[in-house]
């Protein structure tokens, strides 16, 4: 990469979508929303999880998974980033791995020259049973990643995550320890879990790490009759919501300025990152012996 991360404010956008079963249609929709964001001055644009495909059945994604470095989804991201001269993050892209029956959910970061700057494979997979009979078993289709990834980009140091990762604060602390100042959480939160936990989790990850958090979400009714939460957010290091695309309101964008000076002031005002104990010993009380 020839450019260095920006030291001043950068305008960022999160893109909210209601992705369906046709990759070409989803890419067209994403392209239009990215264009709107760029028209409002965004230099960093983040797409949600499953932006290019959300099938009727989970394993339908195997039919559109791409080889790393080639395929229409990756070409779209590279060409769009280069066309607009922006840093563009594909929230999750299905990429083939070394298992024939499982793929990787990969978040890909493309720079203004169209080169792929970083790849993060989703580590925490959504295997849950929710009230009302909703059941999800991502591990039946996706293989987990095993690396924590920070991407150095012209827009800043980006800490990468995807959706269910939000529930694991140690992942984000590792990103900050790796130099991240902007945390990304592209998601497809269910309406059920989103209503209860989405904004709380996004704000918590911002506050506890003194970071901006960009959290684009799917937001609407999909072809598989799944309802996603929406409420795509940009949150500052104090936990203040700077922009919100609306709850379940369909496609849209939210745009805000990220200011490193504001972030530094907050970290100096509340220096919790530097106050962590170094030891890991646990002392049990008498009842625990």
């Amino acid at each position: 990469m020839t450019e260095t991360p920006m030291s001043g404010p950068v305008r960022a956008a999160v893109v909210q979508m209601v992705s369906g079963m046709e990759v070409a249609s989803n890419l067209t929709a994403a392209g239009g929303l990215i264009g709107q964001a760029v028209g409002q001055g965004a230099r960093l644009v983040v797409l949600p999880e499953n932006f290019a495909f959300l099938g009727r059945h989970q394993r339908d994604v195997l039919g559109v998974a791409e080889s790393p470095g080639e395929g229409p989804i990756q070409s779209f991201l590279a060409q769009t980033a280069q066309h607009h001269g922006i840093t563009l993050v594909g929230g999750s892209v299905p990429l083939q791995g070394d298992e024939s029956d499982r793929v990787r959910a990969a978040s890909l970061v493309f720079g203004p020259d169209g080169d792929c700057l970083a790849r993060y494979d989703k580590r925490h997979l959504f295997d849950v049973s929710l009230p009302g009979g909703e059941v999800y078993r991502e591990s039946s289709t996706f293989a987990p990643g095993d690396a924590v990834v920070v991407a150095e980009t012209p827009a800043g140091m980006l800490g990468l995550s995807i959706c269910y990762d939000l529930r694991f604060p140690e992942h984000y602390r590792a990103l900050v320890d790796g130099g991240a100042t902007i945390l990304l959480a592209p998601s497809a939160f269910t309406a059920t879990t989103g209503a209860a936990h989405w904004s709380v989790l996004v704000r918590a990850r911002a506050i506890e790490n003194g970071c901006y958090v960009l959290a684009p979400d799917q937001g609407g009714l999909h072809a598989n009759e799944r309802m996603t939460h929406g409420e795509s957010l940009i949150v500052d290091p104090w936990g203040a919501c700077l922009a919100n695309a609306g709850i379940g309101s369909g496609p849209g964008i939210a745009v805000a300025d990220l200011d490193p000076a504001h972030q530094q002031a907050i970290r100096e005002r509340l220096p919790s990152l530097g106050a962590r104990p170094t030891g890991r010993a646990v002392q049990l009380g008498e009842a625990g012996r």
Side-chain angles (χ1 to χ4, degrees):
M1 186 179 68
T2 58
E3 300 183 63
T4 56
M6 295 179 65
S7 58
V10 60
R11 180 158 292 184
V14 292
V15 174
Q16 185 162 297
M17 298 181 64
V18 188
S19 298
M21 300 185 294
E22 298 295 332
V23 170
S25 297
N26 293 327
L27 296 184
T28 297
L33 292 164
I34 294 166
Q36 291 180 33
V38 172
Q40 294 187 32
R43 310 310 303 161
L44 167 62
V45 180
V46 188
L47 297 166
E49 183 181 27
N50 301 324
F51 74 93
F53 181 80
L54 212 164
R56 190 175 299 278
H57 305 288
Q58 180 178 281
R59 291 185 66 80
D60 291 347
V61 73
L62 298 176
V64 300
E66 299 181 351
S67 298
E70 59 181 311
I73 302 172
Q74 294 167 89
S75 294
F76 164 82
L77 292 169
Q79 293 167 9
T80 303
Q82 184 176 40
H83 173 72
H84 292 297
I86 60 172
T87 300
L88 177 62
V89 182
S92 72
V93 177
L95 295 184
Q96 297 166 358
D98 53 7
E99 299 181 35
S100 60
D101 62 340
R102 294 201 300 178
V103 298
R104 298 294 185 104
S107 188
L108 303 178
V109 181
F110 287 82
D113 56 5
D115 288 343
C116 186
L117 304 180
R119 168 183 169 175
Y120 163 71
D121 291 356
K122 187 176 184 178
R123 295 174 66 209
H124 302 97
L125 301 178
F126 193 49
D127 288 359
V128 301
S129 298
L130 300 175
E134 287 184 88
V135 177
Y136 299 92
R137 293 289 180 267
E138 281 190 339
S139 63
S140 69
T141 301
F142 296 95
D146 58 6
V148 174
V149 178
V150 176
E152 182 178 358
T153 79
M157 298 292 285
L158 309 181
L160 305 184
S161 72
I162 302 174
C163 200
Y164 195 46
D165 289 331
L166 265 173
R167 297 185 181 275
F168 300 86
E170 64 274 14
H171 178 88
Y172 297 88
R173 187 52 54 89
L175 291 172
V176 172
D177 287 346
T181 56
I182 303 169
L183 303 175
L184 310 185
S187 300
F189 252 60
T190 70
T192 302
T193 58
H197 301 148
W198 170 253
S199 64
V200 175
L201 289 169
V202 173
R203 294 183 66 223
R205 298 297 85 86
I207 294 166
E208 67 196 7
N209 293 296
C211 283
Y212 286 98
V213 177
L214 307 184
D217 196 24
Q218 295 278 348
L221 182 64
H222 302 268
N224 60 3
E225 298 186 355
R226 173 182 173 182
M227 186 74 183
T228 45
H229 178 68
E231 196 180 5
S232 297
L233 297 173
I234 299 178
V235 175
D236 84 351
W238 192 249
C241 178
L242 304 181
N244 185 337
I247 297 175
S249 60
I253 62 172
V255 180
D257 292 327
L258 316 183
D259 186 354
H262 175 63
Q263 180 174 29
Q264 184 60 32
I266 288 173
R267 287 184 168 186
E268 291 174 356
R269 187 189 321 163
L270 191 62
S272 59
L273 289 174
R276 288 179 289 163
T278 56
R280 299 180 64 86
V282 176
Q283 180 176 342
L284 295 179
E286 290 299 326
R289 294 184 188 277

